Amino acid sequence: MDPRAVGAVSERLTVPAFDLARAARRIEGPLADRWARLLERTAFVGGEEVQEFEEAFASFLEVRACVGVANGTDALVLALEALGVGPGDEVIVPSFTFIATAATVAWLGAVPVFADVDPATLNLDVTDAARRVTPKTVGVVGVHLYGCPFDVRASLELCAEHDLWLVEDSAQAHGARFESRRVGGFGRLATWSFYPSKNLGCFGDGGAVTTDDPELAARVRLLANHGATGRYRHERVGLNSRLDALQAAVLNCRLPLLDEDNATRRRIADRYRSALAGVGGIDALAEPVDVESVVHQFTVRSERRDALQASLAERGVGSAVHYPTPLHLQPAFAGRGEPPALPAAEAAAREVLCLPVFPELSDAEIDVVISALVHFAGTGE
Ligand SMILES: Cc1ncc(COP(=O)(O)O)c(C=O)c1O
């Protein structure tokens, strides 16, 4: 790449961290058709759109069942509740993730036990998790952070050894693969968010629970519909947490594009990675062998993260910090005794920065991001 050309481009272009309008334009036609059909049928809750999506997503993941729910947080609550999590239970979760992974455990009256993360991937450190198993531990929730699968094999071995279940929080990893198989079918249950910025996002809130166990799927579906087994007959106390038909229509338009979109994200990641190979002080996270990340985020680490973010912003490049505080240090989890020392999660919170990566990003925009990174590394500002 000729640096002068990049300089010329950067004067014209700013690069957003994310741009949903571009994704929306790509499905304008098919979405208008589906919405018109929905308006005609007035099937706004449940109905064919939701069923079509549940079947298509289960088949995409090669799992037996998918239950659409209202969002990824409810998906976790319902999955944990279906497994019987309640007061007195301990559930091991990584400390470096979105709060929903742990808050849902606490919401059900159980204790989230925070484990540290692997410094190379920022995913659950299974060796650290193993040290935190007690007689009260009932399960582990792993997170495929930034679209990169956690070590499912080691997690399953840990669970088998102590008779625990594994739940995959797959909110950031639609389509990712571990040992060639898509994530979402390894744990007893997997939970999904379709928040608009996700690789498979709708235009509001949406979520799902997937599993190979039809009985567990039926339990989730029951709990998500006020435990109703008939009209005004309620077998269990539950929630109203259903996937909206309008959102299912968006997902039905976007699911067929997902594999190609994920491949585009991987190509963008390759370009960033090659550019960073010759640059000191900014390191991309590792992608382990045997996994295929779907690059929900392209995350770098720098000891001068805040200066890097400011410098990128000055050159018109958006970026984001996911996450500035590890969960064991969040006020929401204070008052439960001295928080553990989790050095890898704490360092990650100080150093991570997520660069623009979405399928509609243009080559010229990628050039601008790369030139801004090179500029920062070269000038130290
Ligand atoms: C890892 C993880 N888990 C759970 C959630 C919760 O999903 P939702 O925002 O749809 O409730 C998110 C959403 O950002 C997430 O990133």
mmCIF file of all heavy atoms in Angstrom, residues 70-76 96-102 104 142-146 169-173 191-198 204-208 296 323, ligand 1:
data_model
loop_
_atom_site.group_PDB
_atom_site.id
_atom_site.type_symbol
_atom_site.label_atom_id
_atom_site.label_comp_id
_atom_site.label_asym_id
_atom_site.label_seq_id
_atom_site.Cartn_x
_atom_site.Cartn_y
_atom_site.Cartn_z
ATOM 1 N N ALA A 70 -36.757 -13.377 23.771
ATOM 2 C CA ALA A 70 -36.790 -11.927 23.560
ATOM 3 C C ALA A 70 -35.423 -11.272 23.424
ATOM 4 O O ALA A 70 -35.297 -10.223 22.776
ATOM 5 C CB ALA A 70 -37.567 -11.269 24.708
ATOM 6 N N ASN A 71 -34.385 -11.838 24.027
ATOM 7 C CA ASN A 71 -33.038 -11.245 23.952
ATOM 8 C C ASN A 71 -32.030 -12.245 24.527
ATOM 9 O O ASN A 71 -32.431 -13.282 25.070
ATOM 10 C CB ASN A 71 -32.975 -9.903 24.713
ATOM 11 C CG ASN A 71 -33.447 -10.043 26.149
ATOM 12 O OD1 ASN A 71 -32.828 -10.748 26.943
ATOM 13 N ND2 ASN A 71 -34.571 -9.425 26.483
ATOM 14 N N GLY A 72 -30.760 -11.906 24.435
ATOM 15 C CA GLY A 72 -29.714 -12.831 24.883
ATOM 16 C C GLY A 72 -29.645 -12.965 26.392
ATOM 17 O O GLY A 72 -29.176 -13.989 26.906
ATOM 18 N N THR A 73 -30.088 -11.939 27.120
ATOM 19 C CA THR A 73 -30.101 -12.014 28.586
ATOM 20 C C THR A 73 -31.174 -13.002 29.035
ATOM 21 O O THR A 73 -30.918 -13.885 29.865
ATOM 22 C CB THR A 73 -30.367 -10.614 29.186
ATOM 23 O OG1 THR A 73 -29.370 -9.719 28.689
ATOM 24 C CG2 THR A 73 -30.342 -10.634 30.696
ATOM 25 N N ASP A 74 -32.370 -12.876 28.464
ATOM 26 C CA ASP A 74 -33.436 -13.840 28.784
ATOM 27 C C ASP A 74 -33.008 -15.252 28.385
ATOM 28 O O ASP A 74 -33.337 -16.226 29.076
ATOM 29 C CB ASP A 74 -34.723 -13.499 28.022
ATOM 30 C CG ASP A 74 -35.515 -12.373 28.688
ATOM 31 O OD1 ASP A 74 -34.984 -11.766 29.642
ATOM 32 O OD2 ASP A 74 -36.647 -12.101 28.254
ATOM 33 N N ALA A 75 -32.300 -15.362 27.281
ATOM 34 C CA ALA A 75 -31.855 -16.691 26.837
ATOM 35 C C ALA A 75 -31.032 -17.345 27.946
ATOM 36 O O ALA A 75 -31.204 -18.531 28.258
ATOM 37 C CB ALA A 75 -31.042 -16.580 25.549
ATOM 38 N N LEU A 76 -30.135 -16.559 28.572
ATOM 39 C CA LEU A 76 -29.317 -17.096 29.671
ATOM 40 C C LEU A 76 -30.175 -17.436 30.887
ATOM 41 O O LEU A 76 -30.034 -18.511 31.477
ATOM 42 C CB LEU A 76 -28.242 -16.075 30.057
ATOM 43 C CG LEU A 76 -27.002 -16.045 29.161
ATOM 44 C CD1 LEU A 76 -26.253 -14.719 29.300
ATOM 45 C CD2 LEU A 76 -26.070 -17.205 29.495
ATOM 46 N N PHE A 96 -14.086 -11.745 32.185
ATOM 47 C CA PHE A 96 -13.967 -10.747 31.111
ATOM 48 C C PHE A 96 -15.006 -11.043 30.021
ATOM 49 O O PHE A 96 -14.757 -11.802 29.080
ATOM 50 C CB PHE A 96 -12.544 -10.779 30.532
ATOM 51 C CG PHE A 96 -12.234 -9.568 29.695
ATOM 52 C CD1 PHE A 96 -12.161 -8.312 30.277
ATOM 53 C CD2 PHE A 96 -12.046 -9.679 28.329
ATOM 54 C CE1 PHE A 96 -11.894 -7.178 29.516
ATOM 55 C CE2 PHE A 96 -11.786 -8.560 27.559
ATOM 56 C CZ PHE A 96 -11.706 -7.309 28.147
ATOM 57 N N THR A 97 -16.194 -10.458 30.203
ATOM 58 C CA THR A 97 -17.303 -10.662 29.275
ATOM 59 C C THR A 97 -18.344 -9.582 29.553
ATOM 60 O O THR A 97 -18.153 -8.747 30.434
ATOM 61 C CB THR A 97 -17.926 -12.070 29.450
ATOM 62 O OG1 THR A 97 -19.144 -12.156 28.695
ATOM 63 C CG2 THR A 97 -18.284 -12.372 30.891
ATOM 64 N N PHE A 98 -19.440 -9.604 28.786
ATOM 65 C CA PHE A 98 -20.548 -8.691 29.064
ATOM 66 C C PHE A 98 -21.249 -9.152 30.344
ATOM 67 O O PHE A 98 -21.321 -10.352 30.634
ATOM 68 C CB PHE A 98 -21.526 -8.694 27.875
ATOM 69 C CG PHE A 98 -22.667 -7.728 28.056
ATOM 70 C CD1 PHE A 98 -22.432 -6.373 28.218
ATOM 71 C CD2 PHE A 98 -23.973 -8.180 28.065
ATOM 72 C CE1 PHE A 98 -23.486 -5.485 28.396
ATOM 73 C CE2 PHE A 98 -25.041 -7.296 28.233
ATOM 74 C CZ PHE A 98 -24.791 -5.946 28.396
ATOM 75 N N ILE A 99 -21.809 -8.191 31.076
ATOM 76 C CA ILE A 99 -22.327 -8.488 32.423
ATOM 77 C C ILE A 99 -23.426 -9.555 32.439
ATOM 78 O O ILE A 99 -23.601 -10.275 33.418
ATOM 79 C CB ILE A 99 -22.817 -7.190 33.124
ATOM 80 C CG1 ILE A 99 -23.103 -7.483 34.604
ATOM 81 C CG2 ILE A 99 -24.038 -6.599 32.404
ATOM 82 C CD1 ILE A 99 -23.166 -6.281 35.490
ATOM 83 N N ALA A 100 -24.162 -9.689 31.332
ATOM 84 C CA ALA A 100 -25.283 -10.630 31.310
ATOM 85 C C ALA A 100 -24.844 -12.048 31.669
ATOM 86 O O ALA A 100 -25.596 -12.797 32.306
ATOM 87 C CB ALA A 100 -25.953 -10.627 29.941
ATOM 88 N N THR A 101 -23.642 -12.444 31.274
ATOM 89 C CA THR A 101 -23.167 -13.809 31.529
ATOM 90 C C THR A 101 -23.221 -14.144 33.024
ATOM 91 O O THR A 101 -23.587 -15.255 33.411
ATOM 92 C CB THR A 101 -21.711 -13.976 31.027
ATOM 93 O OG1 THR A 101 -21.607 -13.437 29.712
ATOM 94 C CG2 THR A 101 -21.277 -15.427 31.020
ATOM 95 N N ALA A 102 -22.857 -13.165 33.869
ATOM 96 C CA ALA A 102 -22.823 -13.412 35.309
ATOM 97 C C ALA A 102 -24.080 -12.905 36.010
ATOM 98 O O ALA A 102 -24.542 -13.513 36.981
ATOM 99 C CB ALA A 102 -21.595 -12.724 35.906
ATOM 100 N N THR A 104 -27.116 -12.940 35.152
ATOM 101 C CA THR A 104 -28.249 -13.853 35.066
ATOM 102 C C THR A 104 -28.137 -14.961 36.127
ATOM 103 O O THR A 104 -29.142 -15.415 36.664
ATOM 104 C CB THR A 104 -28.345 -14.461 33.662
ATOM 105 O OG1 THR A 104 -27.048 -14.928 33.277
ATOM 106 C CG2 THR A 104 -28.818 -13.428 32.657
ATOM 107 N N GLY A 142 -19.336 -20.818 29.551
ATOM 108 C CA GLY A 142 -18.214 -20.290 28.767
ATOM 109 C C GLY A 142 -18.753 -19.285 27.761
ATOM 110 O O GLY A 142 -19.914 -19.357 27.370
ATOM 111 N N VAL A 143 -17.901 -18.348 27.360
ATOM 112 C CA VAL A 143 -18.318 -17.310 26.402
ATOM 113 C C VAL A 143 -17.379 -17.371 25.198
ATOM 114 O O VAL A 143 -16.157 -17.348 25.373
ATOM 115 C CB VAL A 143 -18.230 -15.905 27.042
ATOM 116 C CG1 VAL A 143 -18.666 -14.835 26.051
ATOM 117 C CG2 VAL A 143 -19.056 -15.833 28.317
ATOM 118 N N HIS A 144 -17.946 -17.448 24.010
ATOM 119 C CA HIS A 144 -17.111 -17.397 22.799
ATOM 120 C C HIS A 144 -16.852 -15.918 22.505
ATOM 121 O O HIS A 144 -17.496 -15.304 21.650
ATOM 122 C CB HIS A 144 -17.822 -18.071 21.630
ATOM 123 C CG HIS A 144 -18.212 -19.496 21.898
ATOM 124 N ND1 HIS A 144 -17.297 -20.484 22.180
ATOM 125 C CD2 HIS A 144 -19.438 -20.113 21.926
ATOM 126 C CE1 HIS A 144 -17.932 -21.642 22.355
ATOM 127 N NE2 HIS A 144 -19.226 -21.437 22.221
ATOM 128 N N LEU A 145 -15.896 -15.354 23.246
ATOM 129 C CA LEU A 145 -15.714 -13.900 23.253
ATOM 130 C C LEU A 145 -15.185 -13.383 21.921
ATOM 131 O O LEU A 145 -14.266 -13.974 21.342
ATOM 132 C CB LEU A 145 -14.745 -13.515 24.371
ATOM 133 C CG LEU A 145 -14.669 -12.030 24.672
ATOM 134 C CD1 LEU A 145 -15.899 -11.558 25.452
ATOM 135 C CD2 LEU A 145 -13.402 -11.703 25.453
ATOM 136 N N TYR A 146 -15.737 -12.296 21.469
ATOM 137 C CA TYR A 146 -15.328 -11.619 20.227
ATOM 138 C C TYR A 146 -15.511 -12.518 18.996
ATOM 139 O O TYR A 146 -14.884 -12.296 17.961
ATOM 140 C CB TYR A 146 -13.859 -11.187 20.278
ATOM 141 C CG TYR A 146 -13.457 -10.259 21.400
ATOM 142 C CD1 TYR A 146 -12.210 -10.408 22.019
ATOM 143 C CD2 TYR A 146 -14.278 -9.220 21.821
ATOM 144 C CE1 TYR A 146 -11.798 -9.549 23.029
ATOM 145 C CE2 TYR A 146 -13.864 -8.346 22.836
ATOM 146 C CZ TYR A 146 -12.631 -8.521 23.432
ATOM 147 O OH TYR A 146 -12.219 -7.664 24.419
ATOM 148 N N ASP A 169 -22.350 -19.426 26.141
ATOM 149 C CA ASP A 169 -22.893 -18.101 25.843
ATOM 150 C C ASP A 169 -22.321 -17.726 24.475
ATOM 151 O O ASP A 169 -21.165 -17.322 24.342
ATOM 152 C CB ASP A 169 -22.477 -17.104 26.931
ATOM 153 C CG ASP A 169 -23.019 -15.703 26.665
ATOM 154 O OD1 ASP A 169 -23.417 -15.425 25.515
ATOM 155 O OD2 ASP A 169 -23.025 -14.875 27.596
ATOM 156 N N SER A 170 -23.159 -17.890 23.457
ATOM 157 C CA SER A 170 -22.705 -17.755 22.072
ATOM 158 C C SER A 170 -23.139 -16.429 21.455
ATOM 159 O O SER A 170 -23.161 -16.296 20.224
ATOM 160 C CB SER A 170 -23.273 -18.912 21.233
ATOM 161 O OG SER A 170 -23.018 -20.137 21.856
ATOM 162 N N ALA A 171 -23.465 -15.455 22.326
ATOM 163 C CA ALA A 171 -24.024 -14.178 21.853
ATOM 164 C C ALA A 171 -23.151 -13.490 20.806
ATOM 165 O O ALA A 171 -23.650 -12.706 20.004
ATOM 166 C CB ALA A 171 -24.227 -13.245 23.042
ATOM 167 N N GLN A 172 -21.825 -13.801 20.816
ATOM 168 C CA GLN A 172 -20.922 -13.085 19.902
ATOM 169 C C GLN A 172 -20.363 -14.006 18.818
ATOM 170 O O GLN A 172 -19.406 -13.611 18.136
ATOM 171 C CB GLN A 172 -19.769 -12.485 20.718
ATOM 172 C CG GLN A 172 -20.245 -11.582 21.854
ATOM 173 C CD GLN A 172 -19.122 -10.852 22.570
ATOM 174 O OE1 GLN A 172 -17.954 -10.955 22.196
ATOM 175 N NE2 GLN A 172 -19.466 -10.094 23.595
ATOM 176 N N ALA A 173 -20.942 -15.185 18.640
ATOM 177 C CA ALA A 173 -20.217 -16.161 17.812
ATOM 178 C C ALA A 173 -21.092 -16.936 16.820
ATOM 179 O O ALA A 173 -20.873 -18.129 16.607
ATOM 180 C CB ALA A 173 -19.476 -17.124 18.722
ATOM 181 N N THR A 191 -26.762 -20.168 24.312
ATOM 182 C CA THR A 191 -27.632 -18.994 24.290
ATOM 183 C C THR A 191 -27.105 -17.994 23.267
ATOM 184 O O THR A 191 -25.904 -17.893 23.030
ATOM 185 C CB THR A 191 -27.689 -18.339 25.685
ATOM 186 O OG1 THR A 191 -26.371 -17.901 26.049
ATOM 187 C CG2 THR A 191 -28.202 -19.316 26.730
ATOM 188 N N TRP A 192 -28.050 -17.267 22.665
ATOM 189 C CA TRP A 192 -27.723 -16.362 21.542
ATOM 190 C C TRP A 192 -28.399 -15.013 21.749
ATOM 191 O O TRP A 192 -29.524 -14.957 22.252
ATOM 192 C CB TRP A 192 -28.240 -16.960 20.220
ATOM 193 C CG TRP A 192 -27.705 -18.326 19.974
ATOM 194 C CD1 TRP A 192 -28.243 -19.501 20.418
ATOM 195 C CD2 TRP A 192 -26.510 -18.675 19.270
ATOM 196 N NE1 TRP A 192 -27.459 -20.559 20.021
ATOM 197 C CE2 TRP A 192 -26.385 -20.083 19.314
ATOM 198 C CE3 TRP A 192 -25.537 -17.937 18.598
ATOM 199 C CZ2 TRP A 192 -25.332 -20.762 18.724
ATOM 200 C CZ3 TRP A 192 -24.478 -18.613 18.005
ATOM 201 C CH2 TRP A 192 -24.383 -20.010 18.065
ATOM 202 N N SER A 193 -27.709 -13.969 21.319
ATOM 203 C CA SER A 193 -28.311 -12.631 21.254
ATOM 204 C C SER A 193 -28.349 -12.221 19.790
ATOM 205 O O SER A 193 -27.401 -12.501 19.045
ATOM 206 C CB SER A 193 -27.454 -11.630 22.027
ATOM 207 O OG SER A 193 -27.847 -10.305 21.707
ATOM 208 N N PHE A 194 -29.419 -11.578 19.394
ATOM 209 C CA PHE A 194 -29.492 -11.014 18.028
ATOM 210 C C PHE A 194 -29.561 -9.493 18.094
ATOM 211 O O PHE A 194 -30.171 -8.848 17.235
ATOM 212 C CB PHE A 194 -30.705 -11.587 17.270
ATOM 213 C CG PHE A 194 -30.718 -13.089 17.221
ATOM 214 C CD1 PHE A 194 -31.807 -13.808 17.717
ATOM 215 C CD2 PHE A 194 -29.653 -13.799 16.698
ATOM 216 C CE1 PHE A 194 -31.831 -15.195 17.686
ATOM 217 C CE2 PHE A 194 -29.654 -15.188 16.676
ATOM 218 C CZ PHE A 194 -30.751 -15.885 17.166
ATOM 219 N N TYR A 195 -28.968 -8.922 19.137
ATOM 220 C CA TYR A 195 -28.864 -7.461 19.256
ATOM 221 C C TYR A 195 -28.292 -6.927 17.931
ATOM 222 O O TYR A 195 -27.477 -7.594 17.293
ATOM 223 C CB TYR A 195 -27.944 -7.145 20.451
ATOM 224 C CG TYR A 195 -27.831 -5.692 20.754
ATOM 225 C CD1 TYR A 195 -28.872 -5.012 21.375
ATOM 226 C CD2 TYR A 195 -26.680 -4.981 20.408
ATOM 227 C CE1 TYR A 195 -28.767 -3.655 21.636
ATOM 228 C CE2 TYR A 195 -26.570 -3.629 20.673
ATOM 229 C CZ TYR A 195 -27.620 -2.971 21.280
ATOM 230 O OH TYR A 195 -27.526 -1.624 21.537
ATOM 231 N N PRO A 196 -28.741 -5.728 17.488
ATOM 232 C CA PRO A 196 -28.397 -5.283 16.135
ATOM 233 C C PRO A 196 -26.921 -5.350 15.741
ATOM 234 O O PRO A 196 -26.604 -5.610 14.577
ATOM 235 C CB PRO A 196 -28.898 -3.834 16.122
ATOM 236 C CG PRO A 196 -30.034 -3.821 17.104
ATOM 237 C CD PRO A 196 -29.670 -4.812 18.173
ATOM 238 N N SER A 197 -25.999 -5.140 16.700
ATOM 239 C CA SER A 197 -24.576 -5.122 16.311
ATOM 240 C C SER A 197 -23.955 -6.513 16.225
ATOM 241 O O SER A 197 -22.789 -6.652 15.860
ATOM 242 C CB SER A 197 -23.785 -4.287 17.322
ATOM 243 O OG SER A 197 -23.928 -4.855 18.608
ATOM 244 N N LYS A 198 -24.723 -7.562 16.532
ATOM 245 C CA LYS A 198 -24.147 -8.910 16.486
ATOM 246 C C LYS A 198 -23.933 -9.356 15.030
ATOM 247 O O LYS A 198 -24.532 -8.811 14.107
ATOM 248 C CB LYS A 198 -25.080 -9.918 17.172
ATOM 249 C CG LYS A 198 -25.402 -9.576 18.617
ATOM 250 C CD LYS A 198 -24.166 -9.515 19.486
ATOM 251 C CE LYS A 198 -24.535 -9.441 20.948
ATOM 252 N NZ LYS A 198 -23.585 -8.653 21.741
ATOM 253 N N GLY A 204 -33.761 -4.752 16.572
ATOM 254 C CA GLY A 204 -34.307 -4.485 17.899
ATOM 255 C C GLY A 204 -33.667 -5.513 18.809
ATOM 256 O O GLY A 204 -32.514 -5.882 18.603
ATOM 257 N N ASP A 205 -34.400 -6.039 19.773
ATOM 258 C CA ASP A 205 -33.872 -7.102 20.621
ATOM 259 C C ASP A 205 -34.370 -8.454 20.137
ATOM 260 O O ASP A 205 -35.501 -8.573 19.642
ATOM 261 C CB ASP A 205 -34.331 -6.891 22.074
ATOM 262 C CG ASP A 205 -33.433 -5.931 22.835
ATOM 263 O OD1 ASP A 205 -32.194 -6.085 22.729
ATOM 264 O OD2 ASP A 205 -33.949 -5.029 23.506
ATOM 265 N N GLY A 206 -33.544 -9.457 20.300
ATOM 266 C CA GLY A 206 -33.935 -10.822 19.952
ATOM 267 C C GLY A 206 -32.922 -11.776 20.551
ATOM 268 O O GLY A 206 -31.794 -11.378 20.869
ATOM 269 N N GLY A 207 -33.316 -13.030 20.721
ATOM 270 C CA GLY A 207 -32.389 -14.016 21.271
ATOM 271 C C GLY A 207 -32.898 -15.417 21.003
ATOM 272 O O GLY A 207 -33.994 -15.599 20.448
ATOM 273 N N ALA A 208 -32.104 -16.405 21.381
ATOM 274 C CA ALA A 208 -32.512 -17.804 21.198
ATOM 275 C C ALA A 208 -31.733 -18.692 22.154
ATOM 276 O O ALA A 208 -30.667 -18.316 22.648
ATOM 277 C CB ALA A 208 -32.274 -18.261 19.762
ATOM 278 N N HIS A 296 -16.362 -11.289 15.548
ATOM 279 C CA HIS A 296 -17.397 -10.328 15.952
ATOM 280 C C HIS A 296 -16.723 -8.999 16.270
ATOM 281 O O HIS A 296 -17.218 -7.923 15.915
ATOM 282 C CB HIS A 296 -18.158 -10.867 17.161
ATOM 283 C CG HIS A 296 -19.095 -9.867 17.750
ATOM 284 N ND1 HIS A 296 -20.088 -9.270 17.012
ATOM 285 C CD2 HIS A 296 -19.172 -9.314 18.995
ATOM 286 C CE1 HIS A 296 -20.750 -8.412 17.786
ATOM 287 N NE2 HIS A 296 -20.205 -8.416 18.977
ATOM 288 N N TYR A 323 -13.944 -4.845 27.304
ATOM 289 C CA TYR A 323 -14.752 -4.164 28.288
ATOM 290 C C TYR A 323 -13.804 -3.420 29.218
ATOM 291 O O TYR A 323 -12.760 -3.975 29.564
ATOM 292 C CB TYR A 323 -15.589 -5.186 29.059
ATOM 293 C CG TYR A 323 -16.516 -5.957 28.122
ATOM 294 C CD1 TYR A 323 -16.083 -7.149 27.550
ATOM 295 C CD2 TYR A 323 -17.772 -5.456 27.774
ATOM 296 C CE1 TYR A 323 -16.906 -7.839 26.655
ATOM 297 C CE2 TYR A 323 -18.597 -6.155 26.896
ATOM 298 C CZ TYR A 323 -18.153 -7.331 26.329
ATOM 299 O OH TYR A 323 -18.941 -8.005 25.436
HETATM 300 C C1 LIG B 1 -21.457 -12.345 25.735
HETATM 301 C C2 LIG B 1 -22.841 -11.787 25.835
HETATM 302 N N1 LIG B 1 -23.764 -12.443 26.564
HETATM 303 C C3 LIG B 1 -25.027 -12.002 26.669
HETATM 304 C C4 LIG B 1 -25.439 -10.843 26.035
HETATM 305 C C5 LIG B 1 -26.834 -10.357 26.254
HETATM 306 O O1 LIG B 1 -27.565 -10.220 25.095
HETATM 307 P P1 LIG B 1 -28.755 -9.158 24.972
HETATM 308 O O2 LIG B 1 -28.139 -7.794 24.887
HETATM 309 O O3 LIG B 1 -29.457 -9.553 23.713
HETATM 310 O O4 LIG B 1 -29.621 -9.294 26.174
HETATM 311 C C6 LIG B 1 -24.525 -10.148 25.249
HETATM 312 C C7 LIG B 1 -24.946 -8.929 24.541
HETATM 313 O O5 LIG B 1 -24.206 -8.042 24.256
HETATM 314 C C8 LIG B 1 -23.183 -10.619 25.151
HETATM 315 O O6 LIG B 1 -22.275 -9.981 24.410
#
